[in-house]
Amino acid sequence: KSQSHSNPIESPFQERCLGIIENKRQKVLEFRAASIEYLFQSVNPTLIQEAERQLNLVFRRGQVPPDLISVHIRWGDKKEEMLDLLPAEAYVKGVERILEKRQKPSPNPVSVFV
């Protein structure tokens, strides 16, 4: 089946993305959801099962904390591409900056997953 270069997203995803015209926030949230649905439509079910298993191992009852900051430190294979890798302290300072910029404090404790 040929695919047009000007229109890479196929229906129904195209209709869902193009049909979102409400307020800006809702538009962005729905577009993200449609994009993720499109990207993950052909993920192997075994991978999904493993992701769910890992979720339950890391978070109690598979419940992600409401105030979660997830930090991905990629040192393994990056050392071959990069001259200098950031030290762990740089990531800690980044999380601290995120917390400083929060507009209103939350009653929930902040969880950081590295």
Side-chain angles (χ1 to χ4, degrees), residues 72-86 91:
H72 179 85
I73 301 176
R74 188 173 166 195
W75 284 340
D77 61 337
K78 276 304 210 185
K79 66 183 175 189
E80 296 171 12
E81 296 175 31
M82 308 291 288
L83 297 176
D84 293 317
L85 297 175
L86 291 175
Y91 292 92

Side-chain angles (χ1 to χ4, degrees), residues 48-78:
I48 293 171
Q49 287 175 339
E50 179 60 18
E52 288 174 349
R53 188 180 79 78
Q54 292 295 326
L55 175 72
N56 286 299
L57 287 173
V58 172
F59 300 110
R60 278 184 240 140
R61 295 180 305 278
Q63 296 293 316
V64 176
D67 288 338
L68 174 70
I69 298 174
S70 180
V71 180
H72 179 85
I73 301 176
R74 188 173 166 195
W75 284 340
D77 61 337
K78 276 304 210 185

Side-chain angles (χ1 to χ4, degrees), residues 66-67 102 104-110:
D67 288 338
R102 287 174 35 156
K104 56 183 172 181
S106 171
N108 302 313
V110 174

Side-chain angles (χ1 to χ4, degrees), residues 4 7 9 11 18 21 24 26-27 35 37 42 51 56 60 63 65 75 80 84 91 107 109 113-114:
S4 168
N7 197 358
I9 301 174
S11 187
L18 295 177
I21 55 173
K24 186 176 181 181
Q26 188 65 28
K27 180 178 175 182
S35 299
E37 182 180 335
S42 60
N56 286 299
R60 278 184 240 140
Q63 296 293 316
W75 284 340
E80 296 171 12
D84 293 317
Y91 292 92
F113 180 77
V114 180

